[in-house]
Amino acid sequence: MRAAYITEFGPSHEIRHGELPEPTLGPTDVLVEVECTTVNPVDTLVRSGRFRTPVPLPLIVGRDLVGTVVRAGSGFAAGERVWTNSLGHGGRQGAAAERAVVPADRLYRLPPGVDPEHAVTVLHPGGTAYLALFTRAGVRPGETVFVAGAAGNVGSAVVTLAVEAGARVIATASAQDAQYVRELGADVVLDYREPELGALRGTVDVHIDTFGANDLDQAVELIAPRGRIVLLAGVAARPVLPVGPFYQKDASILGFVISHATTGQLAEAAVSVNRLAASGRLRSRRIERVPLGAMADAHLRMEKGELHGRRLVVRPDLSV
């Protein structure tokens, strides 16, 4: 079968496109014909070796897919349209291939009527947002959530899920993205370059920086007593924590990566992702289709920050 894969960790040009042997199934695996996959920042971290996780080599890259069950088993039937967002790490091969083996406990049915291309682009951001907000931070209705980088893939999903849960959302974004973030339901949208934060001091219950700058001075200033700061981006960030003000607020810092979520947590998040995708609340602003053979270029574009407001849909059925 055709696949996009690496034989060693390194820069994006290490990704090859070619034939690999058909995957073999274990007793609790499901064989899926891949309709589409995508590229997330974490994919580039795994490929480069910056995020260490056990993987086989050659490694098929990619985490997310929407596809159709080829071989029935483990509660799934042939012909069902399904999705997953946790391949390509933890010893599992990735999604960027014509066919993929998915453990049954990491596979979910796509709701009828949901566009597979829009779905595949929100599976990872939506799952990340759910786990950050609810599994880690325990957001409750009426609380105030501050979202930095609210127009990004994960940021927009955090805004959407927080609003749906009844939280008040304060967001930062660029001026050109402000209207989009308001349409997601944010109560206040501030220009990230010069945000007017004075009135927000001590009022934020949950602070999430999806951009990865992780300004802990600002975060500690903004959070209320017993506030929670969720760190989920910024692999190279080394911020300084103002310890005195932090501990005097009985505050918490919660580190989080979706890669460490349990199958039970992922399944719980999938329920919300499916519900919001089916309602149209969770979808990408714009998508761009590229062939499987363009995966190396897709990783490079992601790393260079060239995909603002767009998500790539990688399709094995497209020609290079």
Side-chain angles (χ1 to χ4, degrees):
M1 66 173 187
R2 290 184 302 112
Y5 64 95
I6 59 172
T7 57
E8 60 181 297
F9 300 111
S12 59
H13 63 72
E14 293 290 347
I15 298 177
R16 306 180 183 184
H17 175 237
E19 296 287 331
L20 287 180
E22 287 274 351
T24 57
L25 275 70
T28 60
D29 291 334
V30 178
L31 182 64
V32 176
E33 183 175 357
V34 178
E35 183 171 350
C36 50
T37 181
T38 188
V39 182
N40 297 292
V42 70
D43 300 332
T44 70
L45 298 178
V46 172
R47 182 219 72 230
S48 67
R50 296 181 74 190
F51 180 79
R52 291 293 181 180
T53 178
V55 291
L57 290 173
L59 171 69
I60 299 170
V61 298
R63 296 211 169 192
D64 310 340
L65 67 79
V66 172
T68 304
V69 175
V70 174
R71 194 171 303 169
S74 300
F76 290 90
E80 286 189 295
R81 185 170 266 169
V82 291
W83 64 270
T84 186
N85 60 357
S86 57
L87 295 184
H89 68 101
R92 294 175 293 279
Q93 282 288 1
E98 291 181 300
R99 286 169 292 283
V101 169
V102 186
D105 58 359
R106 294 174 180 269
L107 190 65
Y108 320 104
R109 292 172 176 85
L110 189 72
V114 174
D115 181 276
E117 292 189 343
H118 278 282
V120 79
T121 63
V122 298
L123 301 177
H124 195 271
T128 299
Y130 181 91
L131 294 168
L133 282 167
F134 305 111
T135 305
R136 296 297 286 151
V139 169
R140 297 180 293 273
E143 289 195 313
T144 296
V145 177
F146 183 93
V147 185
N153 301 324
V154 173
S156 59
V158 171
V159 173
T160 299
L161 270 70
V163 169
E164 201 245 355
R168 177 175 182 256
V169 175
I170 311 297
T172 63
S174 67
Q176 69 188 58
D177 291 324
Q179 184 57 36
Y180 166 67
V181 177
R182 291 189 189 97
E183 290 170 357
L184 295 175
D187 294 88
V188 178
V189 182
L190 305 172
D191 190 325
Y192 78 95
R193 289 165 295 191
E194 296 182 14
E196 298 179 4
L197 302 174
L200 298 177
R201 293 190 181 99
T203 68
V204 171
D205 298 293
V206 176
H207 183 287
I208 301 179
D209 181 354
T210 67
F211 186 72
N214 296 318
D215 184 342
L216 294 183
D217 273 314
Q218 181 188 95
V220 171
E221 186 177 4
L222 293 181
I223 58 172
R226 291 171 296 283
R228 289 90 76 197
I229 300 170
V230 182
L231 305 181
L232 53 75
V235 67
R238 297 294 186 271
V240 176
L241 174 67
V243 173
F246 173 76
Y247 83 76
Q248 291 181 61
K249 288 188 174 184
D250 292 329
S252 302
I253 292 180
L254 306 165
F256 160 73
V257 290
I258 192 173
S259 303
H260 297 156
T262 67
T263 54
Q265 291 169 339
L266 290 168
E268 183 179 313
V271 173
S272 284
V273 170
N274 270 345
R275 184 181 71 253
L276 291 170
S279 70
R281 294 280 309 279
L282 192 60
R283 62 184 286 122
S284 293
R285 295 167 74 180
R286 294 187 297 277
I287 61 172
E288 177 186 338
R289 299 171 186 86
V290 298
L292 191 61
M295 186 61 84
D297 182 63
H299 272 233
L300 180 61
R301 292 171 67 191
M302 171 67 73
E303 291 175 311
K304 292 172 69 175
E306 295 179 355
L307 300 175
H308 181 80
R310 283 177 294 165
R311 289 283 271 155
L312 296 182
V313 174
V314 183
R315 297 191 58 119
D317 61 343
L318 295 180
S319 299
V320 178

